[in-house]
Amino acid sequence: MKIAMVGTGYVGLPQGAVFANVGNKVICVDCLEDRINEIKKFCDGQTNKLPVHESGLNELVLRNYSSKSLDFTTDINYAVKESDLIFLCVGTPANGDGSVNTQYVLNVAKEVGNAMNYADDIYKMIVIKSTVPPGTAKEVSKVLKNTTNNNFDIISNPEFLAQGEAVSGSHKPDRIVIGLPKEKYFGSLKADSKSVELRETFRKLYAPFNMKGEDKVFFMTNEDAELHKYIANTYLAAQIAITNEAANLAKKVGANWRRLSAPFKYDHRIGSFIHPSTGFGGSCFPKDVKAIVKVFEKEGVESKVISKIIPANEYQKLILNQSLNEFYDSNLKDKTFSIWGLSFKAETNDTRESSAIEIIADLLKKGAKVKAYDPEGVPDMKLKLSERQDISDLLENIEFFSTYTHNSKYDALKQSDGLMVLTEWMEFRQPDFMEIKKLLKIPIILDGRDLFKPEQMKELGFNYICIGNENILQ
Ligand code: UGA
């Protein structure tokens, strides 16, 4: 099939490369000239870095660019003319009030409509991959109707890719959701020829990813598909919120969360997000849950549960700080704390909504100094902290360490009054505890990812504060 991917970010680029890899002809288009140049330089061997870091992506892009199944351009007219399916993969950032700004999607829809005017009697399928609130497909349809007399259908095809796993996730999706315009969706009982053609196109497109086991393709209406995406992330975010709250209770009653939660994985109804943390972060859960709460408000439907997820998560972000404060009798002034892990999860340099931001801001405000180490996340964290007005005059009290500056995680520990581990990077899972003890002024570890064994910490003589288990105070 001939496909255009509009937007070459964390979704468009990996998904475009994966479509190309299974025999489609894909043109990735972006309005950012620098970005397209960067990708092309990579493809021509002039650099070794793509603007998107995803495991397996470099090889996939190179291979498909060389075989001419994947191309890159800033020319949307060319991309639209050459393609039958046009995927919209542009960002949907949050407005100040938490609602979604769909302006980029609507602007791109307008450009696609204009680009479709190169001839009469043209038909294109416009596929929305961006995460958009219910009703956006209808708005996109209106925009296109205002810009072209040619024919089109709007399809909602949300993605369920986790950052860092976009390539493997695109190759092995757990489900494929296809939303059709309501008037073309007739369930399985009655279908006109256009509805049949739409279904067949998407069955064919996703056939290489739907070969084994049960059929993973689900047809529904646009509104269904749009809401499905939000509710999927809401379920997952709610589960993390419940995990964290339950782990806090486990700690209080002297139970051990890791022990008691392990059997949950044998109850398929419960799911797998059972790892306690200092709250979820990233570009998806916080944004999508806030957005769906706004949809509840807009529609006048009361939310008694979902609206509590974000406040619970914000509370959880500072749960270790509370313990640290207690440990030092509310006097953190002039103490120095080391932090291992700045990115919102392992295997990414992304620090968006990472709990480390709130944790660092709180420590600085209490008069403490911070030494922060992350293998990848330092540049992004520096940027995020520089955007915080409330700590702008305290930033001199933070020192960064990273592999970029040839520092090891141990360099960030010297003369510190404690270590907090906030991201589950592999390199933090089995550190040299004797070295940690030697370098810290006071042997205290605060484990925000449930990484270490309490018994071992006790044996090694650490004070150990974690989530989901009683504190070990020596
Ligand atoms: C999430 C979803 O998992 C994807 O299915 C979805 O497609 C994506 O958002 C999106 O909407 O694009 P992602 O944000 O990459 O993917 O990250 P996750 O791996 O789901 O983790 C999110 C946050 O929850 C991280 O901060 C992670 O550390 C935290 N988490 C996760 C926990 O605290 N505990 C857990 O048990 C699991």
Side-chain angles (χ1 to χ4, degrees):
M1 291 186 193
K2 287 159 47 180
I3 298 173
M5 305 297 289
V6 187
T8 56
Y10 278 95
V11 173
L13 186 56
Q15 183 66 74
V18 168
F19 279 150
N21 199 41
V22 294
N24 298 294
K25 202 148 174 57
V26 179
I27 302 172
C28 290
V29 53
D30 205 299
C31 63
L32 299 173
E33 212 170 315
D34 285 353
R35 200 177 181 88
I36 293 296
N37 285 341
E38 206 181 331
I39 299 173
K40 282 191 162 169
K41 274 189 186 157
F42 168 82
C43 291
D44 295 336
Q46 294 172 40
T47 66
N48 56 7
K49 211 163 162 267
L50 279 171
V52 168
H53 311 285
E54 281 292 338
S55 166
L57 185 61
N58 289 13
E59 302 76 30
L60 208 63
V61 167
L62 276 184
R63 189 174 344 128
N64 289 285
Y65 182 76
S66 310
S67 67
K68 298 199 175 354
S69 11
L70 185 61
D71 199 4
F72 301 95
T73 182
T74 51
D75 186 351
I76 195 160
N77 293 321
Y78 162 74
V80 167
K81 191 171 176 195
E82 292 300 313
S83 309
D84 301 317
L85 277 85
I86 296 133
F87 281 77
L88 310 187
C89 311
V90 294
T92 47
N95 290 318
D97 66 350
S99 61
V100 179
N101 178 353
T102 52
Q103 210 47 55
Y104 296 116
V105 175
L106 300 177
N107 289 349
V108 156
K110 196 169 167 185
E111 287 178 33
V112 170
N114 285 328
M116 280 172 62
N117 293 331
Y118 61 88
D120 295 333
D121 284 331
I122 303 290
Y123 170 76
K124 306 274 178 193
M125 292 182 191
I126 320 289
V127 192
I128 306 177
K129 257 220 180 288
S130 307
T131 301
V132 290
T136 308
K138 269 198 190 124
E139 281 184 56
V140 167
S141 180
K142 265 189 225 155
V143 169
L144 274 141
K145 271 185 192 139
N146 287 337
T147 36
T148 184
N149 290 323
N150 278 317
N151 297 314
F152 60 85
D153 275 306
I154 309 289
I155 315 297
S156 297
N157 174 213
E159 52 84 21
F160 307 104
L161 305 172
Q163 228 166 291
E165 297 158 30
V167 172
S168 57
S170 301
H171 274 118
K172 287 185 184 168
D174 53 10
R175 78 272 207 200
I176 297 150
V177 167
I178 310 291
L180 306 175
K182 218 173 216 162
E183 63 281 7
K184 299 222 167 84
Y185 179 80
F186 294 100
S188 52
L189 296 176
K190 195 175 144 206
D192 69 355
S193 62
K194 198 73 222 169
S195 171
V196 171
E197 185 193 326
L198 281 175
R199 284 171 188 244
E200 278 174 359
T201 303
F202 282 87
R203 278 216 166 277
K204 196 170 149 206
L205 176 68
Y206 281 106
F209 317 105
N210 187 35
M211 296 181 84
K212 288 189 192 140
E214 277 175 63
D215 183 9
K216 291 184 273 188
V217 177
F218 294 87
F219 289 101
M220 50 186 80
T221 67
N222 277 319
E223 290 78 7
D224 296 337
E226 289 166 333
L227 194 55
H228 174 95
K229 165 71 189 184
Y230 278 98
I231 300 303
N233 275 358
T234 303
Y235 266 130
L236 296 173
Q239 194 183 4
I240 300 170
I242 291 172
T243 292
N244 284 333
E245 203 165 281
N248 296 344
L249 181 65
K251 176 176 183 144
K252 187 78 186 164
V253 302
N256 176 305
W257 177 259
R258 206 184 302 176
R259 241 179 358 238
L260 81 88
S261 66
F264 287 147
K265 57 177 176 273
Y266 295 101
D267 185 335
H268 70 275
R269 296 165 303 175
I270 293 183
S272 60
F273 273 23
I274 53 173
H275 306 289
S277 63
T278 47
F280 57 76
S283 61
C284 307
F285 289 165
K287 179 167 82 80
D288 292 353
V289 178
K290 282 178 200 159
I292 200 68
V293 169
K294 281 283 150 195
V295 176
F296 272 94
E297 282 172 24
K298 184 173 152 233
E299 300 298 330
V301 178
E302 200 174 340
S303 159
K304 288 189 183 295
V305 176
I306 293 175
S307 60
K308 301 288 187 297
I309 297 173
I310 293 292
N313 195 54
E314 289 304 312
Y315 171 81
Q316 189 69 16
K317 285 182 178 179
L318 292 182
I319 203 88
L320 287 185
N321 291 38
Q322 278 180 28
S323 303
L324 189 64
N325 214 27
E326 278 164 29
F327 184 85
Y328 279 110
D329 290 328
S330 301
N331 186 12
L332 302 186
K333 195 162 171 358
D334 296 329
K335 299 212 163 36
T336 301
F337 297 104
S338 303
I339 290 185
W340 282 2
L342 300 173
S343 48
F344 81 96
K345 64 174 188 178
E347 307 306 327
T348 176
N349 60 344
D350 194 340
T351 68
R352 274 178 289 180
E353 302 270 349
S354 168
S355 60
I357 300 173
E358 297 309 322
I359 289 169
I360 291 172
D362 182 63
L363 291 174
L364 294 178
K365 283 182 195 170
K366 292 200 165 88
K369 295 192 170 62
V370 172
K371 291 180 169 189
Y373 168 86
D374 192 282
E376 299 288 342
V378 167
D380 198 43
M381 179 55 79
K382 281 186 178 170
L383 205 72
K384 295 285 173 311
L385 291 176
S386 71
E387 289 162 0
R388 289 277 299 237
Q389 298 288 323
D390 56 337
I391 50 166
S392 57
D393 53 345
L394 298 171
L395 292 179
E396 63 195 34
N397 293 334
I398 175 161
E399 199 182 341
F400 289 100
F401 298 79
S402 78
T403 34
Y404 294 113
T405 47
H406 307 292
N407 291 129
S408 87
K409 53 185 178 288
Y410 300 106
D411 293 326
L413 298 181
K414 285 174 201 151
Q415 289 301 304
S416 269
D417 297 278
L419 164 65
M420 274 191 182
V421 184
L422 301 180
T423 312
E424 73 283 20
W425 285 101
M426 286 307 275
E427 65 170 273
F428 299 156
R429 292 181 189 210
Q430 227 169 17
D432 182 342
F433 288 112
M434 293 326 286
E435 184 69 10
I436 297 178
K437 205 167 165 204
K438 203 169 82 193
L439 292 166
L440 289 179
K441 221 161 47 179
I442 311 280
I444 170 168
I445 295 182
L446 296 102
D447 179 355
R449 288 289 176 168
D450 199 23
L451 295 180
F452 309 133
K453 292 195 182 82
E455 315 80 53
Q456 192 190 7
M457 295 292 103
K458 192 170 182 175
E459 221 175 279
L460 290 169
F462 279 103
N463 294 291
Y464 180 62
I465 293 174
C466 64
I467 301 166
N469 194 62
E470 281 178 295
N471 295 341
I472 292 171
L473 302 174
Q474 323 236 19

